Amino acid sequence: MSYNDRLIRASFKQQVDRVPVWYMRQAGRYDPEYRKIKEKYSLLEICRRPELAAEVTLMPVRKLGVDAAILYSDIMNPVASLGIDFDIVKNIGPVIDNPIRSAADVDRLRPIDVEGDLSHILETIRILDKELDVPLITFAGAPFTIASYLIEGRPSKGYIRTKTMMYSEPEVWHKLMQKLGDMVITYVRAHIANGGKAFQLFDSWVGALSPNDFKTYVLPTITRIFTELSDLNVPKIYFPGVASGELLPTLTDLQANVIGLDWRVSITEGRKRLGGKFAVQGNLDPYVLTAPMDLIKQQAKVIIDEGIKEPGYIFNLGHGLFPEASLEKLRELTAYIHEYSAEVLKTGVTVSND
């Protein structure tokens, strides 16, 4: 069986014959087949069934022709092993029964036991390692993003409790960052040991911080995570989430390979802010997928033309897919990305969409 390693090669800034593409939340509610599965099982129930979780992970690879699979899971899964009780509530998101509000709450968090508490996730990875002919990306939620749920008790727009702890109780905050950093490092190592071929650290909400606050309260832990995982010979991706363009210049010393960009900063500007040190991933606005196909291709073409100016580019969205996205449009977009980028990389001549 041939193995499609374009994502691996692009992550390490090596030559590719076409731009690799995958989509955040590509195993999700835009797919009618997945929606039928969700009528019977919750997200967490699917995660606890390795064969089913593996099948959901495989579906977009088969249907869309993407160059990577991303593990069907949730960023909250590992916190259960720390002693956090939570549920994923429809139309809300993670809801925490015992939120973190004090030093005592931080102290009671246990070290993660991946083999003991999360063996179903490792089994899913092992199944996929045997089935896939593209790389499997596994992932973890970054400490700030996880902390925002643990402290607020549910998704938040202003992160007032989170920032109050950060500013008013910095010792408690840094202890929480330390524990969540340890969780991520142990969790990711287990993923790679069981067959993961790349990993992404999702920091979906860290764009809520100023660059100075990010450098003070979050970046030291992000730096430690990538430093301690630097011996893993797999692509390491950091996605600092939405509205994070102003944070990019602070990331230049990370021992990561790829930085994910949202749609608010261009590929060219993102590379400039990152000092040209990383491969980049992104950055189509997901809601462009509501447009006519001609406009979707026009916007994708602009991004691809910028991406292929330098080695190290992976096409993705600037955030995750949404339920109203069209499976047919995604399939057509994937084919267009492959065909257009292959032609340009072969000839060196950009092609008009007209």
Side-chain angles (χ1 to χ4, degrees):
M1 181 174 66
S2 62
Y3 186 75
N4 173 355
D5 67 347
R6 291 182 184 91
L7 178 124
I8 306 290
R9 297 179 63 81
S11 298
F12 292 133
K13 292 190 172 185
Q14 297 170 357
Q15 184 176 356
V16 292
D17 61 343
R18 68 187 191 191
V19 167
V21 52
W22 67 281
Y23 305 106
M24 287 183 275
R25 294 199 201 120
Q26 67 186 20
R29 289 173 292 169
Y30 71 94
D31 184 343
E33 185 180 357
Y34 172 73
R35 289 200 295 268
K36 288 182 180 178
I37 293 171
K38 282 298 298 293
E39 290 174 4
K40 186 174 182 181
Y41 302 103
S42 72
L43 185 156
L44 296 177
E45 288 170 337
I46 295 171
C47 291
R48 287 191 285 266
R49 291 167 166 78
E51 294 285 350
L52 184 57
E55 179 58 29
V56 173
T57 302
L58 285 162
M59 280 160 46
V61 179
R62 294 169 178 157
K63 295 180 181 185
L64 303 178
V66 288
D67 296 285
I70 184 159
L71 179 69
Y72 183 84
S73 187
D74 190 88
I75 63 171
M76 296 300 293
N77 273 324
V79 304
S81 186
L82 276 58
I84 295 291
D85 299 319
F86 71 94
D87 195 11
I88 308 296
V89 179
K90 186 177 181 179
N91 298 324
I92 297 177
V95 175
I96 312 302
D97 293 337
N98 50 340
I100 301 292
R101 299 284 166 78
S102 67
D105 292 334
V106 175
D107 288 339
R108 69 177 164 80
L109 294 176
R110 305 187 298 259
I112 190 171
D113 179 3
V114 186
E115 294 285 349
D117 296 330
L118 302 164
S119 59
H120 50 285
I121 294 175
L122 302 184
E123 177 61 19
T124 303
I125 293 170
R126 288 191 290 268
I127 293 169
L128 289 164
D129 188 38
K130 295 175 184 175
E131 294 289 328
L132 285 165
D133 60 359
V134 298
L136 173 65
I137 304 168
T138 70
F139 66 90
F144 176 85
T145 292
I146 295 295
S148 75
Y149 292 125
L150 300 187
I151 297 168
E152 303 291 336
R154 60 179 52 212
S156 170
K157 291 184 178 179
Y159 308 101
I160 184 169
R161 290 181 181 272
T162 305
K163 291 187 177 184
T164 298
M165 179 184 288
M166 210 171 64
Y167 297 137
S168 303
E169 300 181 272
E171 290 186 4
V172 177
W173 173 262
H174 287 299
K175 190 168 188 178
L176 178 58
M177 289 293 99
Q178 175 80 23
K179 288 198 170 190
L180 294 177
D182 291 344
M183 176 195 78
V184 168
I185 292 164
T186 302
Y187 189 55
V188 168
R189 280 199 176 278
H191 286 182
I192 303 306
N194 283 273
K197 297 297 186 287
F199 76 85
Q200 177 159 302
L201 188 64
F202 278 92
D203 218 346
S204 303
W205 313 129
V206 80
L209 299 181
S210 70
N212 189 58
D213 284 349
F214 176 70
K215 286 191 289 186
T216 302
Y217 298 105
V218 177
L219 184 58
T221 303
I222 299 300
T223 300
R224 180 170 74 90
I225 289 169
F226 282 102
T227 299
E228 293 200 22
L229 296 174
S230 62
D231 61 300
L232 299 176
N233 188 29
V234 298
K236 306 166 189 69
I237 307 168
Y238 181 52
F239 177 57
V242 295
S244 58
E246 298 304 316
L247 305 184
L248 298 179
T250 70
L251 303 180
T252 54
D253 291 331
L254 283 189
Q255 293 191 49
N257 305 104
V258 184
I259 303 296
L261 305 176
D262 84 343
W263 62 94
R264 295 167 178 84
V265 58
S266 69
I267 299 295
T268 300
E269 179 62 22
R271 279 179 165 143
K272 180 181 175 182
R273 295 184 186 186
L274 292 164
K277 294 189 175 183
F278 306 94
V280 293
Q281 174 180 278
N283 64 337
L284 185 71
D285 180 344
Y287 292 95
V288 169
L289 295 170
T290 65
M293 200 65 220
D294 286 349
L295 180 59
I296 296 172
K297 290 180 180 180
Q298 287 173 18
Q299 296 227 17
K301 178 184 181 299
V302 171
I303 293 170
I304 294 166
D305 287 345
E306 290 189 36
I308 61 179
K309 286 180 181 177
E310 298 178 25
Y313 174 62
I314 299 161
F315 194 100
N316 206 312
L317 305 175
H319 203 219
L321 281 167
F322 55 99
E324 296 82 4
S326 162
L327 178 65
E328 289 71 26
K329 285 182 178 179
L330 280 168
R331 185 183 292 119
E332 189 172 349
L333 173 60
T334 304
Y336 173 76
I337 294 162
H338 285 155
E339 292 163 8
Y340 174 70
S341 64
E343 181 66 20
V344 177
L345 288 169
K346 181 179 179 180
T347 65
V349 179
T350 59
V351 181
S352 172
N353 278 330
D354 296 335

